[in-house]
Amino acid sequence: MGPTMIISKDLLSQDALLGLIESFINREGTDYGADEIPLDRKVATLKAQVEEGRVVIVFDPVTETPSLMTKEQYRQWSLENGG
């Protein structure tokens, strides 16, 4: 089924938000090219994107897990799944 709802960042404590961001970064394993970017910089960049609303917190009720998606990814997912 996949993520079906957006969760407001304001519903999470700062610690919970940072934990979600770090978990997402570690789970996704993004390739940044020849220069490795430190975790704290990746976290700061992603947190800023969440604060700006470009990345949203999504919740999958089937797996009962939160994750992150760009707003565009969520919009595309919604279109493909009749949302």
Side-chain angles (χ1 to χ4, degrees):
M1 179 159 189
T4 59
M5 62 184 81
I6 292 178
I7 304 297
S8 171
K9 66 179 173 42
D10 299 328
L11 295 177
L12 300 177
S13 68
Q14 285 300 305
D15 286 344
L17 179 59
L18 289 176
L20 176 60
I21 290 170
E22 287 177 6
S23 173
F24 179 82
I25 290 169
N26 289 326
R27 185 175 63 244
E28 294 301 311
T30 307
D31 179 14
Y32 290 93
D35 297 325
E36 184 57 34
I37 299 173
L39 178 62
D40 61 340
R41 205 157 110 215
K42 292 177 191 176
V43 169
T45 299
L46 192 51
K47 184 174 186 274
Q49 292 173 344
V50 170
E51 296 291 339
E52 294 164 3
R54 293 188 293 151
V55 171
V56 294
I57 302 164
V58 293
F59 183 75
D60 182 341
V62 173
T63 62
E64 297 183 351
T65 57
S67 192
L68 300 170
M69 296 177 112
T70 65
K71 208 170 210 178
E72 179 59 28
Q73 286 172 322
Y74 184 79
R75 186 184 71 75
Q76 186 64 38
W77 179 88
S78 293
L79 290 173
E80 291 170 1
N81 292 280

